[in-house]
Every structure is written in C-alpha cells, then in structure tokens.
C-alpha cells in the first residue's frame, strides 16, 4: 500500500456514522439479560445456581457494568489518545490528510460511544435500582501498551502504540459483534451493541489500512524491532489479572454466607483460560494477516507461538 492509495471513509462516515443516524436507545422493562452468560463463568458456579435467579441476575448486571466501564476506558483513554495524535500530526509519521481526517472521525465516534454508554448505564442504574460495585480504573491495555512502548527502542515506541491500538480495535469489533447476536439479551443492549458495531466495522478497516500503509513505509530495522515487540505486547494484553480482581470483588458483595463466597472465589482461578483457540487470538491472527505483518518473515517467527 502506498501513501497515495489510501481511500478516505469520509463519505461512508457522513451517511452511516451512528452519531449522524441513530436514535437514543431506551432500556426496556422485561426479563431478558444485560450480559451473555457464557462470558461470565461465575454465573454457572453450582453455589451461584443454588443461590437462585436474583444472585445470578445481579452477577450479570455487575458484569455488564464492568464491560461498559472497560469500553469507556478503552475508547476515551486508549483509542482516542492515538487517533487524536494521528489526526493532529503529532504522531511521528507523515500520514496523508485522508488518514488524519479519518482519524478525527474515529475520535468523534469513540467519544460518542462513551456518551451513549454513560447514558445507557445511567438508565439501567435507575431502572434496576442497583448501582455498580467499585470499578477497575484500568484495563489490560492501560498497562500493555505503555509497557510494550518501553520494551522497544524509543524511536519505535509510537509504532508499537499504533500496532497495539490497531490490534485491540479489531478485537473489540469481534466482541461487540458477538454481543449483538445474543438472543438472551435485552433488545436495548443489543441495540447499543449493534450501533457500536456499525461504527467499529469501519474502524477495523481504518486501523488495518493505517498499519498496512505504515508498515510498508518504515525501514527493515523498524519492522524487525516492532515484530520483536509484538509477542511482548500480546503477553501483557492477554491476561486475566484484572478480570479476576473484579470477580473477587464481585463475589465479596454477593448475598451469600462467607464460607460459600470463599468456596466460589477459590474455584474461580483459571476460569478464563487464554489458549491458542481463544477468540481474541483468532482475531489477532486475522488482523496481523490482513495488515500484511505475516508476510514479514522475522515478525512471523517472533510471534510463531500465536500462529
Ligand atoms: Fe467504540
Ligand atoms: Fe473504535
């Protein structure tokens, strides 16, 4: 891909961006869930099943709050930071105007998604009368990206940041897609996710093209260094620590005897195995292939364990 061949998504954005085209989503009063049960192993723990529907619903609701909170952190603190740097030519690579203006549209979309998420959270809180428990202040990427940037020689830190954000934007798209198809979820939850997905599909393509362009313009040493940084980034990104921390806190708030809570907590270790079949890894592999990174032998070799 060359600097001239990049095609802006501006026309698509004008017509389809959700901020331009979608109405507000209103939470409905029905028995459907806020969160997919298969994404929260706690839900199926025998002691939780014994505890009954109210405890199970509470777990799904709190998991939903966490998911939305994480998405807001991701959009406002991770994606926007990098997209804004590109849009304002602060990123140390000369992207053409089409890329910079598309990056600015990403900033608008992400801020809008965060706004929609806040509004919907507030509606759910009012309708259930249950507020979120103490939330994590960081997501995996809040640590993985800066650590990977520090890991590579300083002149490649920005490139590492770009790869990290591009990889995670592709992961988020796949996640939101799975949510929007789930039949056990409330119509408004699926609606919020479907709206989000409509924008994230465009973002996915944007980040793939941006990385493709970047990768084809940087020199071989840069490619080798970034390729070396990738497995380090992936290891930091794909961890269960924060999820387990949250789950432990959540278990602590369940309306159950202390001994039962302790038993559930002990069983939770290892509840989120990250293997080579993990959907996140499948997506990451797809991204690396589409962005052209797998055609680079040294990079391929560096991340062989994930291929
Ligand atoms: Fe988003
Ligand atoms: Fe996005």
């Amino acid at each position: 891909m060359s600097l001239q061949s990049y095609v802006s998504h501006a026309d698509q954005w004008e017509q389809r961006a959700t901020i331009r085209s979608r109405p507000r989503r209103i939470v409905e009063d029905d028995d459907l869930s806020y969160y997919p049960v298969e994404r929260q192993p706690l839900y199926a723990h025998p002691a939780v099943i014994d505890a009954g529907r109210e405890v199970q619903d509470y777990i799904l609701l709190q998991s939903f709050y966490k998911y939305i909170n994480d998405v807001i952190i991701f959009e406002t603190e991770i994606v926007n930071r990098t997209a804004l740097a590109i849009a304002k030519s602060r990123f140390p690579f000369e992207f053409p105007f089409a890329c910079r203006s598309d990056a600015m549209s990403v900033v608008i979309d992400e801020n809008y998604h965060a706004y929609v998420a806040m509004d919907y959270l507030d509606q759910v809180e009012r309708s259930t009368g249950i507020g979120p428990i103490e939330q994590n202040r960081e997501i995996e990427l809040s640590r993985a990206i800066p650590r990977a940037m520090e890991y590579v020689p300083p002149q490649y830190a920005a490139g590492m940041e770009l790869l990290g954000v591009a990889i995670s934007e592709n992961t988020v798209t796949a996640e939101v897609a799975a949510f929007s198809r789930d039949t056990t979820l409330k119509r408004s939850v699926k609606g919020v996710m479907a709206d989000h997905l409509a924008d994230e599909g465009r973002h996915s393509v944007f980040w793939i093209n941006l990385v493709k362009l970047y990768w084809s313009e940087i020199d071989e040493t840069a490619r080798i260094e970034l390729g070396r940084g990738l497995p380090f980034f992936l290891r930091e990104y794909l961890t269960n620590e924060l999820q387990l921390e949250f789950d432990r806190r959540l278990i602590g708030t369940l309306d159950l005897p202390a001994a039962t809570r302790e038993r559930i907590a002990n069983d939770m270790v290892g509840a989120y195995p990250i293997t080579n079949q993990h959907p996140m890894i499948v997506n990451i592999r797809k991204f690396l292939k589409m962005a052209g990174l797998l055609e680079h032998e040294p990079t391929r070799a560096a991340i062989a364990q994930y291929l």
Side-chain angles (χ1 to χ4, degrees):
M1 187 172 223
S2 69
L3 289 172
Q4 295 77 33
S5 65
Y6 181 89
V7 179
S8 166
H9 64 219
D11 288 343
Q12 240 188 70
W13 189 81
E14 290 294 345
Q15 284 171 24
R16 293 193 222 137
T18 59
I19 190 172
R20 287 262 199 256
S21 58
R22 301 289 163 102
R24 185 182 180 204
R25 299 281 178 178
I26 308 288
V27 68
E28 56 281 273
D29 185 17
D30 60 24
D31 282 339
L32 290 166
S33 302
Y34 286 99
Y35 196 73
V37 294
E38 70 275 4
R39 287 181 58 96
Q40 178 46 285
L42 266 182
Y43 182 86
H45 189 282
V48 170
I49 295 173
D50 283 348
R53 181 80 196 255
E54 204 171 311
V55 172
Q56 284 186 303
D57 284 348
Y58 172 80
I59 288 172
L60 291 184
L61 178 63
Q62 291 297 344
S63 304
F64 176 71
Y65 284 148
K66 175 188 186 289
Y67 181 79
I68 296 290
N69 186 60
D70 285 359
V71 167
I72 294 174
I73 294 178
F74 176 58
E75 304 187 307
T76 57
E77 292 172 27
I78 312 282
V79 183
N80 272 359
R81 193 189 114 92
T82 310
L84 194 59
I86 292 166
K88 298 194 67 182
S89 301
R90 277 195 265 111
F91 189 89
F93 178 83
E94 239 178 274
F95 284 111
F97 174 80
C99 291
R100 289 190 287 112
S101 98
D102 282 356
M104 193 54 102
S105 79
V106 169
V107 173
I108 295 168
D109 291 342
E110 300 300 12
N111 280 328
Y112 179 61
H113 298 159
Y115 172 82
V116 170
M118 283 169 69
D119 169 43
Y120 191 72
L121 264 183
D122 179 60
Q123 290 183 43
V124 174
E125 224 182 297
R126 286 170 195 273
S127 125
T128 58
I130 301 171
I133 62 168
E134 187 197 333
Q135 297 293 305
N136 291 347
R137 289 204 177 77
E138 284 187 325
I139 56 175
E140 289 75 7
L141 291 158
S142 326
R143 300 172 180 179
I145 291 179
R147 283 178 192 169
M149 288 169 73
E150 253 172 59
Y151 178 82
V152 295
Q155 64 270 42
Y156 307 119
M160 201 62 241
E161 176 186 340
L162 175 62
L163 290 185
V165 171
I167 287 172
S168 48
E169 270 274 87
N170 274 266
T171 307
V172 142
T173 305
E175 247 180 38
V176 172
F179 248 87
S180 68
R181 286 190 300 262
D182 195 308
T183 53
T184 65
L185 299 183
K186 279 188 184 297
R187 201 156 35 79
S188 55
V189 171
K190 287 199 289 185
V192 168
M193 296 297 168
D195 291 351
H196 196 175
L197 179 63
D199 289 332
E200 292 305 336
R202 191 171 54 249
H203 295 186
S204 264
V205 176
F206 165 73
W207 291 107
I208 289 169
N209 286 335
L210 215 61
V211 170
K212 237 192 210 169
L213 187 112
Y214 180 78
W215 192 257
S216 67
E217 295 286 323
I218 55 177
D219 59 34
E220 182 59 12
T221 320
R223 283 189 208 119
I224 290 173
E225 291 294 347
L226 291 174
R228 265 192 210 138
L230 267 182
F232 181 84
F233 166 73
L234 292 175
R235 204 168 46 241
E236 298 282 316
Y237 178 25
L238 303 172
T239 79
N240 303 327
E241 265 170 60
L242 288 168
Q243 181 68 49
L244 287 172
E245 240 174 64
F246 173 84
D247 284 350
R248 251 177 250 128
R249 227 162 37 232
L250 173 55
I251 292 165
T253 66
L254 295 179
D255 189 14
L256 294 171
T260 312
R261 292 200 307 254
E262 201 174 316
R263 187 152 50 86
I264 299 172
N266 289 335
D267 290 344
M268 288 319 290
V269 184
Y272 299 91
I274 292 177
T275 68
N276 272 7
Q277 297 310 311
H278 192 284
M280 272 169 88
I281 298 195
V282 175
N283 276 304
I284 290 167
R285 218 180 286 140
K286 241 201 276 172
F287 165 81
L288 295 170
K289 187 160 182 255
M290 287 195 287
L293 270 66
L294 295 187
E295 286 156 33
H296 186 242
E297 243 350 284
T299 297
R300 229 194 137 82
I303 52 168
Q305 55 175 308
Y306 294 102
L307 300 178

